[in-house]
Amino acid sequence: MKLIRNFYILGLALAIQGLQIDTIKAQDPVFSQWHASPILINPGFTGISEGPTFGLNYRNQWPGLNQAYVTYAATYDQFISKYNSGIGFVVVTDNAGQGLLKSNRVAVDYSYRLKVKKGEYLKLGLEFGFINTQLGWNRLIFLDQIDPINGLPQPGGTVVLPPSSETAPDQLTKTKIDVSAGVLYYGKRFFGGLSAKHLNSPDDRFLNKNPQLATGLPVRFNGIAGMNIGLGESVRGKYDQLVLPHVLIVKQGPFFQALAGVIYQYHKFYMGAEYRQTRKVSDAIILEAGIETGIFRFGYSYDTTISSTLGSRTGGAHEITIVIHVPEKKANPISDCFQFFR
């Protein structure tokens, strides 16, 4: 979820007379199927599998609205036992308002595993990358472009608006360094972690007319916890049935969301249900299902908006995920809680 997307757009769609566009921001996209690419939540998840793991995520949020949010992500990670470390790579593209505001993030991830005691480990993760933000200035409509009597032209055909007196920023694209860190503790049946994204608060402003406003992207704090409850027979530590209760909490600036749910896996099939709550609003119920075949896992989820503020007109949110896990030829018996992620 985009946490109601912190757009500060009083004046993005309409530059109301007397207001200045001092910041144009959006919060991070957060996938409902976070488990398909968990390193997007916490770099401590980097390398929870010895074999290479690839994750692909697609999210179309609120397609019922005229200007939907579409997000893509691709991740890779694996564990290198020789160095007791995990390495990974992340690419995230977010398109808000059909090109009004775009962001692209590319990063490399690294984690180091420390043994706390038998069967329990602590992983320290770091992420270093770049974030690029692009503003579609030519797509904005300002107050002095609107006819005071007839308003905006009706959609359809070619719409030609008079020029605006508003001055475009000196830069319509910005690229900044982005740094994140996280810690993950796990054992045979449980995992829990904390992470902080954008530790350096990269400056994503396009106009700098009000120094009293925040000067960069707010740090995003994430808390994650879950359990691996095995049912049925276990072969080399791998169960044919799994129950995975989990909780995800995200806070970025003034915005907050908490997601709680459970996933049930039966052999190659799985299904799940989650509930998401924002600070004051019951936001959505999420249903998901998927199937494994060979090294592939395919998943689909739908967010049903239950907020009385937005109602059903948003069209909810659709997510499609693909996970590709290439197992090691000489795989060791599973002795941790990450069976579902592999």
Side-chain angles (χ1 to χ4, degrees):
M1 180 202 175
K2 298 259 197 316
L3 304 175
I4 315 297
R5 296 306 298 268
N6 178 19
F7 258 102
Y8 297 111
I9 297 188
L10 288 176
L12 243 184
L14 293 173
I16 301 174
Q17 194 169 18
L19 289 181
Q20 298 291 343
I21 311 174
D22 289 300
T23 60
I24 299 171
K25 297 184 178 179
Q27 287 157 251
D28 293 355
V30 179
F31 290 99
S32 294
Q33 294 183 70
W34 59 270
H35 50 77
S37 297
I39 64 175
L40 295 176
I41 295 294
N42 188 332
F45 278 102
T46 306
I48 58 174
S49 299
E50 292 190 6
T53 300
F54 302 87
L56 300 172
N57 300 65
Y58 164 80
R59 180 175 176 85
N60 187 351
Q61 181 171 318
W62 300 349
L65 303 182
N66 187 35
Q67 310 231 335
Y69 309 120
V70 180
T71 307
Y72 306 87
T75 63
Y76 148 79
D77 72 291
Q78 73 177 101
F79 188 72
I80 303 176
S81 56
K82 180 179 179 180
Y83 300 103
N84 206 35
S85 301
I87 58 172
F89 188 73
V90 169
V91 178
V92 180
T93 297
D94 190 45
N95 186 341
Q98 297 179 350
L100 186 64
L101 186 63
K102 293 182 179 180
S103 68
N104 300 286
R105 187 168 64 88
V106 178
V108 292
D109 288 56
Y110 171 81
S111 70
Y112 187 80
R113 187 179 70 177
L114 298 170
K115 184 176 180 179
V116 178
K117 59 182 180 179
K118 185 178 180 179
E120 296 185 15
Y121 300 90
L122 182 70
K123 294 192 71 177
L124 307 176
L126 290 174
E127 183 178 87
F128 180 87
F130 297 89
I131 184 167
N132 172 268
T133 309
Q134 303 170 28
L135 172 63
W137 181 267
N138 293 331
R139 299 191 68 251
L140 303 181
I141 300 174
F142 297 96
L143 187 62
D144 56 3
Q145 295 177 286
I146 301 174
D147 189 295
I149 298 176
N150 299 317
L152 286 170
Q154 294 299 313
T158 302
V159 177
V160 179
L161 296 173
S164 172
S165 61
E166 295 288 338
T167 303
D170 295 333
Q171 292 180 295
L172 295 180
T173 181
K174 302 190 73 173
T175 301
K176 296 293 181 180
I177 292 174
D178 190 28
V179 180
S180 305
V183 59
L184 181 69
Y185 193 94
Y186 67 95
K188 293 183 178 181
R189 295 288 179 265
F190 67 91
F191 65 88
L194 297 172
S195 65
K197 296 281 187 174
H198 320 302
L199 280 170
N200 58 320
S201 294
D203 187 354
D204 59 347
R205 296 176 299 170
F206 288 95
L207 296 181
N208 302 317
K209 295 185 178 181
N210 191 343
Q212 296 179 346
L213 293 179
T215 58
L217 191 61
V219 178
R220 187 184 108 203
F221 298 98
N222 308 281
I224 184 77
M227 292 186 65
N228 181 98
I229 303 173
L231 304 174
E233 296 183 359
S234 172
V235 179
R236 291 178 60 83
K238 189 172 183 177
Y239 292 91
D240 55 12
Q241 296 183 63
L242 281 179
V243 178
L244 183 71
H246 54 274
V247 176
L248 171 64
I249 297 174
V250 180
K251 185 182 187 304
Q252 187 173 18
F255 293 88
F256 169 89
Q257 72 157 326
L259 181 147
V262 62
I263 295 172
Y264 170 71
Q265 182 178 23
Y266 180 78
H267 294 282
K268 301 297 183 180
F269 301 91
Y270 73 89
M271 63 183 65
E274 288 89 14
Y275 166 77
R276 184 168 55 232
Q277 171 78 33
T278 61
R279 189 179 295 275
K280 296 182 179 180
V281 178
S282 297
D283 181 71
I285 292 176
I286 303 158
L287 300 177
E288 64 176 289
I291 184 173
E292 293 182 8
T293 173
I295 64 173
F296 296 92
R297 186 172 83 226
F298 302 92
Y300 169 79
S301 67
Y302 179 72
D303 297 20
T304 302
T305 304
I306 58 176
S307 166
S308 58
T309 303
L310 296 173
S312 60
R313 65 183 183 274
T314 65
H318 303 268
E319 277 190 20
I320 298 173
T321 61
I322 302 174
V323 178
I324 305 171
H325 175 62
V326 183
E328 287 285 284
K329 292 182 180 179
K330 296 181 179 180
N332 296 320
I334 294 176
S335 60
D336 59 36
C337 58
F338 296 130
Q339 176 183 329
F340 179 77
F341 297 86
R342 300 185 172 99

